Amino acid sequence: VEATPEWAQEVRRLARERNATILAHNYQLPEIQDVADHVGDSLALSRIAAEAEEGTIVFCGVHFMAETAKILSPAKTVLIPDQRAGCSLADSISADELRAWKAEHPGAMVVSYVNTTAEVKALTDICCTSSNAVDVVESIDPDREVLFLPDQFLGAHVKRETGRENMHIWAGECHVHAGINGDELTEQARTHPDAELFVHPECGCATSALYLAGEGAFPAERVHILSTGGMIDAAKASHSNQVLVATEIGMLHQLRKAAPGIDFQAVNDRASCKYMKMITPAALLRCLVEGADEVHVDLAMAEAGRASVQRMIAIGN
Ligand code: 13P
Ligand code: SF4
């Protein structure tokens, strides 16, 4: 199946017929982004899913995102074009591991990145995304211990921003972002001396970029640690000619649309998430024709996780 104008028309027609809204994450293939009703980061899409008037949500993203939509709106039908679209970061902590960690820190507040399974969310006090993680941690009583999971690099970023000492960080990582390393970033920053740097906090190099800037390798003002939605806002406000982007390469499509005058370059052009890319034009068409794959979350588990997700969508922007 090719992403032709006829394909796009058929997708739109089937979505209308099903009374469905199509949501696409910023890391989706360009043709999927272009056919969707809404494109955004994890937080924006969760908010849109919670408020959608349509009875069906077609989530073009990875499984935990569709699951989060189902937790927020259990009465809606939530479809994902390919349910095998997982997430290596969500897989880096299990519910049993979290239970054991909580037992070691009784009374601690559990802050989980939205990149987690429904089972882990059910054991969580507040979820967050990369765009509101700092606000979420700042909303917690400073005397209370915090367990932050599962991403170690986002955790390090939040700890740096909040200066919080009583925060324990799980050692998980996203294989795509962890692979965008400090050496590549330094080399790119050195060979593009006028470019700004947009760095996603899940990157292994987010910490080293700030460290290198602190060492005088390049000016700290050039480095911006941003969620994918934050990158779009920053691109619109930027006066630079060139921006180096450290995140999954699907991001470049929305950035180029948001600021056509800027030359956006990937720090690592092999940083592609194979799970995000499972949502192909063929998969989306099949999903709308067959009404599959449907996302189910056990009712009791959804009940248990809902408050943590609702706190997430209420905090920060
Ligand atoms: P955001 O869209 O919240 O920045 O998340 C990035 C991500 O890795 C999702 O998988
Ligand atoms: Fe998960 Fe990383 Fe893919 Fe995002 S880019 S969905 S965190 S594996």
Side-chain angles (χ1 to χ4, degrees):
V1 178
E2 296 283 314
T4 57
E6 293 72 34
W7 165 83
Q9 249 176 17
E10 184 61 1
V11 165
R12 299 301 327 154
R13 188 187 68 75
L14 290 164
R16 264 196 313 278
E17 205 174 87
R18 281 192 180 275
N19 185 27
T21 184
I22 303 177
L23 311 185
H25 187 265
N26 287 322
Y27 296 161
Q28 289 288 292
L29 292 167
E31 50 270 41
I32 301 288
Q33 297 188 24
D34 289 345
V35 85
D37 292 290
H38 302 278
V39 183
D41 68 7
S42 322
L43 185 61
L45 294 178
S46 300
R47 287 183 174 142
I48 293 167
E51 284 163 17
E53 281 167 11
E54 293 82 357
T56 296
I57 293 167
V58 176
F59 216 117
C60 299
V62 292
H63 196 263
F64 75 80
M65 297 181 174
E67 228 175 33
T68 304
K70 183 71 182 175
I71 290 171
L72 284 165
S73 311
K76 284 183 191 147
T77 301
V78 178
L79 303 176
I80 183 166
D82 190 331
Q83 65 182 356
R84 294 169 304 171
C87 168
S88 63
L89 184 52
D91 288 341
S92 66
I93 187 164
S94 68
D96 282 343
E97 285 171 320
L98 177 51
R99 269 188 214 100
W101 202 28
K102 284 174 75 159
E104 286 169 28
H105 298 275
M109 285 286 274
V110 176
V111 177
S112 295
Y113 197 30
V114 70
N115 299 43
T116 40
T117 60
E119 244 184 310
V120 165
K121 287 187 176 74
L123 298 168
T124 293
D125 295 300
I126 317 187
C127 289
C128 70
T129 75
S130 51
S131 60
N132 70 355
V134 170
D135 295 322
V136 165
V137 170
E138 275 177 345
S139 76
I140 297 168
D141 175 358
D143 294 330
R144 195 103 184 251
E145 265 191 317
V146 171
L147 301 183
F148 188 94
L149 62 106
D151 191 69
Q152 58 184 299
F153 300 112
L154 178 64
H157 170 67
V158 172
K159 196 165 183 169
R160 201 164 45 226
E161 291 285 309
T162 60
R164 194 162 183 134
E165 293 295 333
N166 58 355
M167 181 175 155
H168 307 276
I169 303 169
W170 192 254
E173 64 180 31
C174 152
H175 70 293
V176 179
H177 285 90
I180 305 175
N181 65 44
D183 291 346
E184 272 165 347
L185 185 82
T186 316
E187 181 56 17
Q188 296 256 18
R190 199 181 57 75
T191 52
H192 301 88
D194 298 321
E196 281 189 273
L197 277 72
F198 289 2
V199 183
H200 195 279
E202 278 176 30
C203 289
C205 61
T207 301
S208 51
L210 293 174
Y211 172 76
L212 289 162
E215 293 281 287
F218 42 81
E221 304 82 69
R222 283 173 65 195
V223 185
H224 309 277
I225 312 281
L226 298 162
S227 71
T228 65
M231 288 185 188
I232 302 280
D233 295 339
K236 288 181 180 156
S238 170
H239 298 294
S240 301
N241 294 322
Q242 193 174 50
V243 174
L244 304 173
V245 184
T247 192
E248 208 276 349
I249 51 172
M251 191 64 223
L252 295 169
H253 183 59
Q254 284 305 314
L255 286 171
R256 288 174 179 148
K257 279 173 91 165
I262 299 177
D263 172 27
F264 292 100
Q265 295 293 333
V267 168
N268 175 342
D269 59 13
R270 299 169 314 284
S272 173
C273 173
K274 66 176 179 195
Y275 303 113
M276 286 282 178
K277 272 48 179 183
M278 285 178 177
I279 314 303
T280 59
L284 176 56
L285 189 62
R286 183 201 67 99
C287 170
L288 286 161
V289 171
E290 297 177 10
D293 299 335
E294 187 169 353
V295 176
H296 299 282
V297 180
D298 173 79
L299 267 185
M301 201 188 295
E303 280 294 305
R306 191 163 307 122
S308 68
V309 179
Q310 278 168 343
R311 284 188 198 116
M312 170 185 91
I313 60 175
I315 297 176
N317 47 32

